[in-house]
Amino acid sequence: MAPGTLADEIRHKLGDVSPAERKVARVLLAGYPSAGFETMAVLAERAAVSAPTVLRFVNRLGYRGFPDFQAALRTELDERNASPLSLYEATDYGRSKGGAEEDISLLQRGSNVFSGAVAQTLAELPPHDLEHAIRLLSDSKRRITLAGGRFTNLFAQYLGLHLMQLRDDVRFLPDRDVERTAVFAALHRRDVLVVFDYRRYEQDKVAMAELVQAQGGKVILFTDMWLSPASTHAEVVLPSQVAAPSPYDSLVPTLAVIETVVAGVLTALGEDAHQRMQHGEDTARRMGLY
């Protein structure tokens, strides 16, 4: 099981520390992760506390000192920025000779990794964020726009196609620059942007989330446990584990989260969703699509 991030550790400590230490925590979270690489003196100044207060806070997190804390943060960032190639080269993936025993081992490893990652993801999913995502996506007064990345565009499409069967006003972010500009220029406070962004994060997702937030809209972010930089501007963050039996990050746990969200939206919409589904089936039959 993958450990949580330093940001998670800091959040969990917020209720257990002194008011002065809480100021340090909030400065670290507001500028995460870059704030953690400031000197202790600069961090203390930004939090309006003393340097010993900063030190006491990192001690509460379990680190012997500030350099120890920064070393852990560097390790996390290395993991956060890892690519399939770097993961491949850092392990012995692909160096086995195969055979029946290897196939059995691979099946067992896949079963263990995927089942464990899904279980951990759902166990650690913040209930408040899940419920808030369902409320936003089932609010018929809101317009939903979905955007994915290199691989996760498939998941944006998957979630969007489900939502289209349950409610009106769901669309995908267009590919053309002119169309994208028109979409973002017309955003307002009733808009919801659903973004998928996983490690080796894409800078345009940060810009999208920031723009939506600035115009009063809401952002729902699907991301990994290291958290996309877009999380700073997100109303809802739904993180997933990415462990896989290969150097590629797995999106199996993300699919489980999507399915859970769809189930929640279906329940929240109730009979309205049923009628929408029925109307869709009838329309498709009349058009000869079914």
Side-chain angles (χ1 to χ4, degrees), residues 65-100:
F66 201 62
D68 191 28
F69 168 79
Q70 289 186 321
L73 186 56
R74 287 189 191 92
T75 299
E76 180 181 304
L77 286 184
D78 286 343
E79 294 174 349
R80 190 183 190 196
N81 296 324
S83 68
L85 178 60
S86 66
L87 290 172
Y88 185 99
E89 293 175 343
T91 65
D92 56 0
Y93 288 120
R95 295 189 178 92
S96 60
K97 294 182 180 179

PDB file of all heavy atoms in Angstrom, residues 65-100:
ATOM      1  N   GLY A  65      14.343  16.955  12.210  1.00  0.00           N
ATOM      2  CA  GLY A  65      14.660  18.356  12.010  1.00  0.00           C
ATOM      3  C   GLY A  65      14.159  18.819  10.661  1.00  0.00           C
ATOM      4  O   GLY A  65      13.583  18.047   9.886  1.00  0.00           O
ATOM      5  N   PHE A  66      14.401  20.087  10.350  1.00  0.00           N
ATOM      6  CA  PHE A  66      13.903  20.648   9.096  1.00  0.00           C
ATOM      7  C   PHE A  66      14.576  20.014   7.874  1.00  0.00           C
ATOM      8  O   PHE A  66      13.896  19.736   6.876  1.00  0.00           O
ATOM      9  CB  PHE A  66      14.091  22.168   9.098  1.00  0.00           C
ATOM     10  CG  PHE A  66      13.186  22.873   8.123  1.00  0.00           C
ATOM     11  CD1 PHE A  66      11.811  22.806   8.246  1.00  0.00           C
ATOM     12  CD2 PHE A  66      13.732  23.592   7.066  1.00  0.00           C
ATOM     13  CE1 PHE A  66      10.979  23.449   7.333  1.00  0.00           C
ATOM     14  CE2 PHE A  66      12.911  24.232   6.153  1.00  0.00           C
ATOM     15  CZ  PHE A  66      11.527  24.161   6.282  1.00  0.00           C
ATOM     16  N   PRO A  67      15.902  19.748   7.923  1.00  0.00           N
ATOM     17  CA  PRO A  67      16.532  19.060   6.773  1.00  0.00           C
ATOM     18  C   PRO A  67      15.926  17.685   6.525  1.00  0.00           C
ATOM     19  O   PRO A  67      15.772  17.266   5.367  1.00  0.00           O
ATOM     20  CB  PRO A  67      17.994  18.958   7.183  1.00  0.00           C
ATOM     21  CG  PRO A  67      18.199  20.094   8.137  1.00  0.00           C
ATOM     22  CD  PRO A  67      16.909  20.181   8.906  1.00  0.00           C
ATOM     23  N   ASP A  68      15.563  16.975   7.598  1.00  0.00           N
ATOM     24  CA  ASP A  68      14.938  15.661   7.472  1.00  0.00           C
ATOM     25  C   ASP A  68      13.577  15.779   6.778  1.00  0.00           C
ATOM     26  O   ASP A  68      13.218  14.986   5.905  1.00  0.00           O
ATOM     27  CB  ASP A  68      14.777  15.060   8.871  1.00  0.00           C
ATOM     28  CG  ASP A  68      14.395  13.590   8.832  1.00  0.00           C
ATOM     29  OD1 ASP A  68      14.751  12.915   7.855  1.00  0.00           O
ATOM     30  OD2 ASP A  68      13.741  13.120   9.776  1.00  0.00           O
ATOM     31  N   PHE A  69      12.817  16.801   7.157  1.00  0.00           N
ATOM     32  CA  PHE A  69      11.520  17.072   6.534  1.00  0.00           C
ATOM     33  C   PHE A  69      11.691  17.373   5.047  1.00  0.00           C
ATOM     34  O   PHE A  69      10.963  16.844   4.198  1.00  0.00           O
ATOM     35  CB  PHE A  69      10.855  18.252   7.243  1.00  0.00           C
ATOM     36  CG  PHE A  69       9.654  18.810   6.530  1.00  0.00           C
ATOM     37  CD1 PHE A  69       8.420  18.175   6.606  1.00  0.00           C
ATOM     38  CD2 PHE A  69       9.754  19.976   5.787  1.00  0.00           C
ATOM     39  CE1 PHE A  69       7.303  18.702   5.950  1.00  0.00           C
ATOM     40  CE2 PHE A  69       8.649  20.511   5.132  1.00  0.00           C
ATOM     41  CZ  PHE A  69       7.423  19.863   5.208  1.00  0.00           C
ATOM     42  N   GLN A  70      12.675  18.206   4.704  1.00  0.00           N
ATOM     43  CA  GLN A  70      12.884  18.569   3.298  1.00  0.00           C
ATOM     44  C   GLN A  70      13.366  17.375   2.484  1.00  0.00           C
ATOM     45  O   GLN A  70      13.022  17.245   1.310  1.00  0.00           O
ATOM     46  CB  GLN A  70      13.872  19.724   3.210  1.00  0.00           C
ATOM     47  CG  GLN A  70      13.291  21.040   3.708  1.00  0.00           C
ATOM     48  CD  GLN A  70      14.222  22.214   3.493  1.00  0.00           C
ATOM     49  OE1 GLN A  70      15.445  22.103   3.656  1.00  0.00           O
ATOM     50  NE2 GLN A  70      13.655  23.355   3.132  1.00  0.00           N
ATOM     51  N   ALA A  71      14.151  16.485   3.096  1.00  0.00           N
ATOM     52  CA  ALA A  71      14.604  15.283   2.387  1.00  0.00           C
ATOM     53  C   ALA A  71      13.412  14.386   2.042  1.00  0.00           C
ATOM     54  O   ALA A  71      13.332  13.830   0.938  1.00  0.00           O
ATOM     55  CB  ALA A  71      15.610  14.518   3.244  1.00  0.00           C
ATOM     56  N   ALA A  72      12.469  14.274   2.980  1.00  0.00           N
ATOM     57  CA  ALA A  72      11.263  13.475   2.711  1.00  0.00           C
ATOM     58  C   ALA A  72      10.441  14.114   1.593  1.00  0.00           C
ATOM     59  O   ALA A  72       9.875  13.413   0.749  1.00  0.00           O
ATOM     60  CB  ALA A  72      10.435  13.358   3.989  1.00  0.00           C
ATOM     61  N   LEU A  73      10.387  15.439   1.576  1.00  0.00           N
ATOM     62  CA  LEU A  73       9.637  16.145   0.533  1.00  0.00           C
ATOM     63  C   LEU A  73      10.290  15.934  -0.830  1.00  0.00           C
ATOM     64  O   LEU A  73       9.598  15.741  -1.834  1.00  0.00           O
ATOM     65  CB  LEU A  73       9.571  17.632   0.871  1.00  0.00           C
ATOM     66  CG  LEU A  73       8.704  18.513  -0.038  1.00  0.00           C
ATOM     67  CD1 LEU A  73       7.281  17.986  -0.100  1.00  0.00           C
ATOM     68  CD2 LEU A  73       8.709  19.954   0.460  1.00  0.00           C
ATOM     69  N   ARG A  74      11.636  15.933  -0.877  1.00  0.00           N
ATOM     70  CA  ARG A  74      12.332  15.686  -2.152  1.00  0.00           C
ATOM     71  C   ARG A  74      12.029  14.275  -2.663  1.00  0.00           C
ATOM     72  O   ARG A  74      11.822  14.068  -3.871  1.00  0.00           O
ATOM     73  CB  ARG A  74      13.832  15.861  -1.971  1.00  0.00           C
ATOM     74  CG  ARG A  74      14.294  17.300  -1.811  1.00  0.00           C
ATOM     75  CD  ARG A  74      15.803  17.432  -1.865  1.00  0.00           C
ATOM     76  NE  ARG A  74      16.217  18.751  -1.447  1.00  0.00           N
ATOM     77  CZ  ARG A  74      16.536  19.089  -0.197  1.00  0.00           C
ATOM     78  NH1 ARG A  74      16.518  18.149   0.757  1.00  0.00           N
ATOM     79  NH2 ARG A  74      16.885  20.316   0.108  1.00  0.00           N
ATOM     80  N   THR A  75      12.025  13.303  -1.759  1.00  0.00           N
ATOM     81  CA  THR A  75      11.718  11.928  -2.150  1.00  0.00           C
ATOM     82  C   THR A  75      10.307  11.839  -2.736  1.00  0.00           C
ATOM     83  O   THR A  75      10.075  11.185  -3.759  1.00  0.00           O
ATOM     84  CB  THR A  75      11.829  10.984  -0.935  1.00  0.00           C
ATOM     85  OG1 THR A  75      13.173  11.023  -0.445  1.00  0.00           O
ATOM     86  CG2 THR A  75      11.465   9.559  -1.305  1.00  0.00           C
ATOM     87  N   GLU A  76       9.369  12.520  -2.086  1.00  0.00           N
ATOM     88  CA  GLU A  76       7.994  12.523  -2.581  1.00  0.00           C
ATOM     89  C   GLU A  76       7.911  13.154  -3.969  1.00  0.00           C
ATOM     90  O   GLU A  76       7.197  12.660  -4.848  1.00  0.00           O
ATOM     91  CB  GLU A  76       7.090  13.284  -1.610  1.00  0.00           C
ATOM     92  CG  GLU A  76       5.644  13.328  -2.067  1.00  0.00           C
ATOM     93  CD  GLU A  76       4.767  14.107  -1.108  1.00  0.00           C
ATOM     94  OE1 GLU A  76       4.736  13.757   0.076  1.00  0.00           O
ATOM     95  OE2 GLU A  76       4.106  15.074  -1.553  1.00  0.00           O
ATOM     96  N   LEU A  77       8.641  14.240  -4.182  1.00  0.00           N
ATOM     97  CA  LEU A  77       8.595  14.909  -5.485  1.00  0.00           C
ATOM     98  C   LEU A  77       9.206  14.046  -6.573  1.00  0.00           C
ATOM     99  O   LEU A  77       8.769  14.073  -7.719  1.00  0.00           O
ATOM    100  CB  LEU A  77       9.310  16.256  -5.414  1.00  0.00           C
ATOM    101  CG  LEU A  77       8.545  17.365  -4.677  1.00  0.00           C
ATOM    102  CD1 LEU A  77       9.307  18.673  -4.747  1.00  0.00           C
ATOM    103  CD2 LEU A  77       7.161  17.540  -5.259  1.00  0.00           C
ATOM    104  N   ASP A  78      10.263  13.273  -6.217  1.00  0.00           N
ATOM    105  CA  ASP A  78      10.832  12.341  -7.190  1.00  0.00           C
ATOM    106  C   ASP A  78       9.773  11.333  -7.631  1.00  0.00           C
ATOM    107  O   ASP A  78       9.654  11.006  -8.816  1.00  0.00           O
ATOM    108  CB  ASP A  78      12.034  11.609  -6.585  1.00  0.00           C
ATOM    109  CG  ASP A  78      13.266  12.501  -6.477  1.00  0.00           C
ATOM    110  OD1 ASP A  78      13.291  13.554  -7.150  1.00  0.00           O
ATOM    111  OD2 ASP A  78      14.179  12.158  -5.707  1.00  0.00           O
ATOM    112  N   GLU A  79       8.989  10.829  -6.667  1.00  0.00           N
ATOM    113  CA  GLU A  79       7.923   9.885  -6.994  1.00  0.00           C
ATOM    114  C   GLU A  79       6.835  10.576  -7.807  1.00  0.00           C
ATOM    115  O   GLU A  79       6.296  10.010  -8.762  1.00  0.00           O
ATOM    116  CB  GLU A  79       7.324   9.320  -5.705  1.00  0.00           C
ATOM    117  CG  GLU A  79       8.286   8.457  -4.905  1.00  0.00           C
ATOM    118  CD  GLU A  79       7.699   8.031  -3.574  1.00  0.00           C
ATOM    119  OE1 GLU A  79       6.637   8.567  -3.193  1.00  0.00           O
ATOM    120  OE2 GLU A  79       8.295   7.161  -2.919  1.00  0.00           O
ATOM    121  N   ARG A  80       6.530  11.807  -7.421  1.00  0.00           N
ATOM    122  CA  ARG A  80       5.465  12.566  -8.083  1.00  0.00           C
ATOM    123  C   ARG A  80       5.793  12.812  -9.553  1.00  0.00           C
ATOM    124  O   ARG A  80       4.898  12.859 -10.400  1.00  0.00           O
ATOM    125  CB  ARG A  80       5.301  13.893  -7.342  1.00  0.00           C
ATOM    126  CG  ARG A  80       4.097  14.713  -7.718  1.00  0.00           C
ATOM    127  CD  ARG A  80       4.123  16.018  -6.956  1.00  0.00           C
ATOM    128  NE  ARG A  80       2.886  16.751  -7.094  1.00  0.00           N
ATOM    129  CZ  ARG A  80       2.750  18.029  -6.801  1.00  0.00           C
ATOM    130  NH1 ARG A  80       3.787  18.709  -6.358  1.00  0.00           N
ATOM    131  NH2 ARG A  80       1.603  18.636  -6.944  1.00  0.00           N
ATOM    132  N   ASN A  81       7.073  12.988  -9.856  1.00  0.00           N
ATOM    133  CA  ASN A  81       7.484  13.329 -11.223  1.00  0.00           C
ATOM    134  C   ASN A  81       7.982  12.118 -12.013  1.00  0.00           C
ATOM    135  O   ASN A  81       8.487  12.276 -13.121  1.00  0.00           O
ATOM    136  CB  ASN A  81       8.592  14.390 -11.183  1.00  0.00           C
ATOM    137  CG  ASN A  81       8.100  15.696 -10.583  1.00  0.00           C
ATOM    138  OD1 ASN A  81       6.960  16.091 -10.795  1.00  0.00           O
ATOM    139  ND2 ASN A  81       8.947  16.372  -9.816  1.00  0.00           N
ATOM    140  N   ALA A  82       7.838  10.926 -11.434  1.00  0.00           N
ATOM    141  CA  ALA A  82       8.341   9.731 -12.110  1.00  0.00           C
ATOM    142  C   ALA A  82       7.572   9.476 -13.403  1.00  0.00           C
ATOM    143  O   ALA A  82       6.381   9.756 -13.500  1.00  0.00           O
ATOM    144  CB  ALA A  82       8.221   8.525 -11.183  1.00  0.00           C
ATOM    145  N   SER A  83       8.284   8.937 -14.389  1.00  0.00           N
ATOM    146  CA  SER A  83       7.667   8.571 -15.667  1.00  0.00           C
ATOM    147  C   SER A  83       7.733   7.054 -15.816  1.00  0.00           C
ATOM    148  O   SER A  83       8.490   6.384 -15.101  1.00  0.00           O
ATOM    149  CB  SER A  83       8.437   9.221 -16.822  1.00  0.00           C
ATOM    150  OG  SER A  83       9.728   8.639 -16.926  1.00  0.00           O
ATOM    151  N   PRO A  84       6.955   6.468 -16.740  1.00  0.00           N
ATOM    152  CA  PRO A  84       7.071   5.025 -16.973  1.00  0.00           C
ATOM    153  C   PRO A  84       8.506   4.607 -17.299  1.00  0.00           C
ATOM    154  O   PRO A  84       8.968   3.563 -16.848  1.00  0.00           O
ATOM    155  CB  PRO A  84       6.129   4.792 -18.164  1.00  0.00           C
ATOM    156  CG  PRO A  84       5.094   5.860 -18.028  1.00  0.00           C
ATOM    157  CD  PRO A  84       5.854   7.059 -17.515  1.00  0.00           C
ATOM    158  N   LEU A  85       9.233   5.440 -18.054  1.00  0.00           N
ATOM    159  CA  LEU A  85      10.607   5.103 -18.398  1.00  0.00           C
ATOM    160  C   LEU A  85      11.489   5.075 -17.164  1.00  0.00           C
ATOM    161  O   LEU A  85      12.283   4.143 -16.960  1.00  0.00           O
ATOM    162  CB  LEU A  85      11.163   6.114 -19.418  1.00  0.00           C
ATOM    163  CG  LEU A  85      12.623   5.903 -19.821  1.00  0.00           C
ATOM    164  CD1 LEU A  85      12.813   4.530 -20.462  1.00  0.00           C
ATOM    165  CD2 LEU A  85      13.074   7.008 -20.777  1.00  0.00           C
ATOM    166  N   SER A  86      11.387   6.100 -16.306  1.00  0.00           N
ATOM    167  CA  SER A  86      12.232   6.131 -15.115  1.00  0.00           C
ATOM    168  C   SER A  86      11.891   4.983 -14.171  1.00  0.00           C
ATOM    169  O   SER A  86      12.774   4.403 -13.532  1.00  0.00           O
ATOM    170  CB  SER A  86      12.099   7.478 -14.397  1.00  0.00           C
ATOM    171  OG  SER A  86      10.792   7.655 -13.872  1.00  0.00           O
ATOM    172  N   LEU A  87      10.608   4.626 -14.078  1.00  0.00           N
ATOM    173  CA  LEU A  87      10.212   3.505 -13.232  1.00  0.00           C
ATOM    174  C   LEU A  87      10.718   2.186 -13.811  1.00  0.00           C
ATOM    175  O   LEU A  87      11.140   1.292 -13.074  1.00  0.00           O
ATOM    176  CB  LEU A  87       8.686   3.464 -13.097  1.00  0.00           C
ATOM    177  CG  LEU A  87       8.065   4.603 -12.275  1.00  0.00           C
ATOM    178  CD1 LEU A  87       6.545   4.549 -12.378  1.00  0.00           C
ATOM    179  CD2 LEU A  87       8.508   4.519 -10.824  1.00  0.00           C
ATOM    180  N   TYR A  88      10.686   2.077 -15.117  1.00  0.00           N
ATOM    181  CA  TYR A  88      11.193   0.864 -15.786  1.00  0.00           C
ATOM    182  C   TYR A  88      12.676   0.693 -15.506  1.00  0.00           C
ATOM    183  O   TYR A  88      13.152  -0.383 -15.143  1.00  0.00           O
ATOM    184  CB  TYR A  88      10.947   0.964 -17.285  1.00  0.00           C
ATOM    185  CG  TYR A  88      11.328  -0.288 -18.061  1.00  0.00           C
ATOM    186  CD1 TYR A  88      10.361  -1.215 -18.427  1.00  0.00           C
ATOM    187  CD2 TYR A  88      12.650  -0.517 -18.435  1.00  0.00           C
ATOM    188  CE1 TYR A  88      10.697  -2.353 -19.139  1.00  0.00           C
ATOM    189  CE2 TYR A  88      13.005  -1.649 -19.140  1.00  0.00           C
ATOM    190  CZ  TYR A  88      12.025  -2.571 -19.495  1.00  0.00           C
ATOM    191  OH  TYR A  88      12.374  -3.697 -20.190  1.00  0.00           O
ATOM    192  N   GLU A  89      13.433   1.771 -15.666  1.00  0.00           N
ATOM    193  CA  GLU A  89      14.879   1.705 -15.504  1.00  0.00           C
ATOM    194  C   GLU A  89      15.305   1.520 -14.056  1.00  0.00           C
ATOM    195  O   GLU A  89      16.405   1.049 -13.780  1.00  0.00           O
ATOM    196  CB  GLU A  89      15.514   2.973 -16.084  1.00  0.00           C
ATOM    197  CG  GLU A  89      15.366   3.066 -17.607  1.00  0.00           C
ATOM    198  CD  GLU A  89      15.882   4.363 -18.180  1.00  0.00           C
ATOM    199  OE1 GLU A  89      16.060   5.331 -17.393  1.00  0.00           O
ATOM    200  OE2 GLU A  89      16.090   4.424 -19.411  1.00  0.00           O
ATOM    201  N   ALA A  90      14.422   1.891 -13.117  1.00  0.00           N
ATOM    202  CA  ALA A  90      14.760   1.766 -11.699  1.00  0.00           C
ATOM    203  C   ALA A  90      14.428   0.389 -11.139  1.00  0.00           C
ATOM    204  O   ALA A  90      14.747   0.088  -9.989  1.00  0.00           O
ATOM    205  CB  ALA A  90      14.010   2.821 -10.895  1.00  0.00           C
ATOM    206  N   THR A  91      13.803  -0.476 -11.948  1.00  0.00           N
ATOM    207  CA  THR A  91      13.401  -1.800 -11.481  1.00  0.00           C
ATOM    208  C   THR A  91      13.873  -2.852 -12.472  1.00  0.00           C
ATOM    209  O   THR A  91      14.599  -2.553 -13.423  1.00  0.00           O
ATOM    210  CB  THR A  91      11.871  -1.878 -11.335  1.00  0.00           C
ATOM    211  OG1 THR A  91      11.285  -1.728 -12.633  1.00  0.00           O
ATOM    212  CG2 THR A  91      11.344  -0.789 -10.412  1.00  0.00           C
ATOM    213  N   ASP A  92      13.428  -4.087 -12.252  1.00  0.00           N
ATOM    214  CA  ASP A  92      13.796  -5.160 -13.184  1.00  0.00           C
ATOM    215  C   ASP A  92      12.623  -5.572 -14.062  1.00  0.00           C
ATOM    216  O   ASP A  92      12.500  -6.707 -14.478  1.00  0.00           O
ATOM    217  CB  ASP A  92      14.331  -6.381 -12.427  1.00  0.00           C
ATOM    218  CG  ASP A  92      13.345  -6.893 -11.381  1.00  0.00           C
ATOM    219  OD1 ASP A  92      12.258  -6.292 -11.258  1.00  0.00           O
ATOM    220  OD2 ASP A  92      13.666  -7.884 -10.709  1.00  0.00           O
ATOM    221  N   TYR A  93      11.699  -4.615 -14.352  1.00  0.00           N
ATOM    222  CA  TYR A  93      10.602  -4.915 -15.273  1.00  0.00           C
ATOM    223  C   TYR A  93      11.167  -5.391 -16.609  1.00  0.00           C
ATOM    224  O   TYR A  93      12.126  -4.846 -17.139  1.00  0.00           O
ATOM    225  CB  TYR A  93       9.758  -3.672 -15.544  1.00  0.00           C
ATOM    226  CG  TYR A  93       8.899  -3.238 -14.392  1.00  0.00           C
ATOM    227  CD1 TYR A  93       9.050  -1.978 -13.830  1.00  0.00           C
ATOM    228  CD2 TYR A  93       7.921  -4.085 -13.866  1.00  0.00           C
ATOM    229  CE1 TYR A  93       8.256  -1.569 -12.775  1.00  0.00           C
ATOM    230  CE2 TYR A  93       7.118  -3.680 -12.814  1.00  0.00           C
ATOM    231  CZ  TYR A  93       7.290  -2.428 -12.279  1.00  0.00           C
ATOM    232  OH  TYR A  93       6.508  -2.023 -11.238  1.00  0.00           O
ATOM    233  N   GLY A  94      10.555  -6.408 -17.158  1.00  0.00           N
ATOM    234  CA  GLY A  94      10.919  -6.846 -18.504  1.00  0.00           C
ATOM    235  C   GLY A  94      12.175  -7.681 -18.586  1.00  0.00           C
ATOM    236  O   GLY A  94      12.564  -8.094 -19.661  1.00  0.00           O
ATOM    237  N   ARG A  95      12.817  -7.971 -17.437  1.00  0.00           N
ATOM    238  CA  ARG A  95      14.069  -8.717 -17.488  1.00  0.00           C
ATOM    239  C   ARG A  95      13.889 -10.203 -17.199  1.00  0.00           C
ATOM    240  O   ARG A  95      14.827 -10.964 -17.222  1.00  0.00           O
ATOM    241  CB  ARG A  95      15.068  -8.116 -16.495  1.00  0.00           C
ATOM    242  CG  ARG A  95      15.466  -6.690 -16.864  1.00  0.00           C
ATOM    243  CD  ARG A  95      16.614  -6.202 -15.977  1.00  0.00           C
ATOM    244  NE  ARG A  95      17.009  -4.857 -16.380  1.00  0.00           N
ATOM    245  CZ  ARG A  95      16.523  -3.742 -15.859  1.00  0.00           C
ATOM    246  NH1 ARG A  95      15.617  -3.811 -14.916  1.00  0.00           N
ATOM    247  NH2 ARG A  95      16.929  -2.560 -16.270  1.00  0.00           N
ATOM    248  N   SER A  96      12.665 -10.619 -16.901  1.00  0.00           N
ATOM    249  CA  SER A  96      12.405 -12.034 -16.646  1.00  0.00           C
ATOM    250  C   SER A  96      12.270 -12.789 -17.967  1.00  0.00           C
ATOM    251  O   SER A  96      12.039 -12.203 -19.016  1.00  0.00           O
ATOM    252  CB  SER A  96      11.134 -12.197 -15.810  1.00  0.00           C
ATOM    253  OG  SER A  96      10.034 -11.655 -16.500  1.00  0.00           O
ATOM    254  N   LYS A  97      12.355 -14.093 -17.887  1.00  0.00           N
ATOM    255  CA  LYS A  97      12.340 -14.916 -19.100  1.00  0.00           C
ATOM    256  C   LYS A  97      10.956 -15.441 -19.451  1.00  0.00           C
ATOM    257  O   LYS A  97      10.776 -16.073 -20.474  1.00  0.00           O
ATOM    258  CB  LYS A  97      13.302 -16.104 -18.921  1.00  0.00           C
ATOM    259  CG  LYS A  97      14.762 -15.650 -18.807  1.00  0.00           C
ATOM    260  CD  LYS A  97      15.685 -16.837 -18.678  1.00  0.00           C
ATOM    261  CE  LYS A  97      17.140 -16.387 -18.569  1.00  0.00           C
ATOM    262  NZ  LYS A  97      18.067 -17.537 -18.414  1.00  0.00           N
ATOM    263  N   GLY A  98       9.985 -15.226 -18.579  1.00  0.00           N
ATOM    264  CA  GLY A  98       8.622 -15.669 -18.882  1.00  0.00           C
ATOM    265  C   GLY A  98       8.416 -17.126 -18.558  1.00  0.00           C
ATOM    266  O   GLY A  98       9.143 -17.724 -17.767  1.00  0.00           O
ATOM    267  N   GLY A  99       7.404 -17.732 -19.173  1.00  0.00           N
ATOM    268  CA  GLY A  99       7.073 -19.127 -18.901  1.00  0.00           C
ATOM    269  C   GLY A  99       5.827 -19.234 -18.059  1.00  0.00           C
ATOM    270  O   GLY A  99       5.267 -18.252 -17.593  1.00  0.00           O
ATOM    271  N   ALA A 100       5.376 -20.498 -17.850  1.00  0.00           N
ATOM    272  CA  ALA A 100       4.130 -20.744 -17.138  1.00  0.00           C
ATOM    273  C   ALA A 100       4.174 -20.218 -15.711  1.00  0.00           C
ATOM    274  O   ALA A 100       3.230 -19.591 -15.233  1.00  0.00           O
ATOM    275  CB  ALA A 100       3.817 -22.237 -17.132  1.00  0.00           C
TER     276      ALA A 100
END
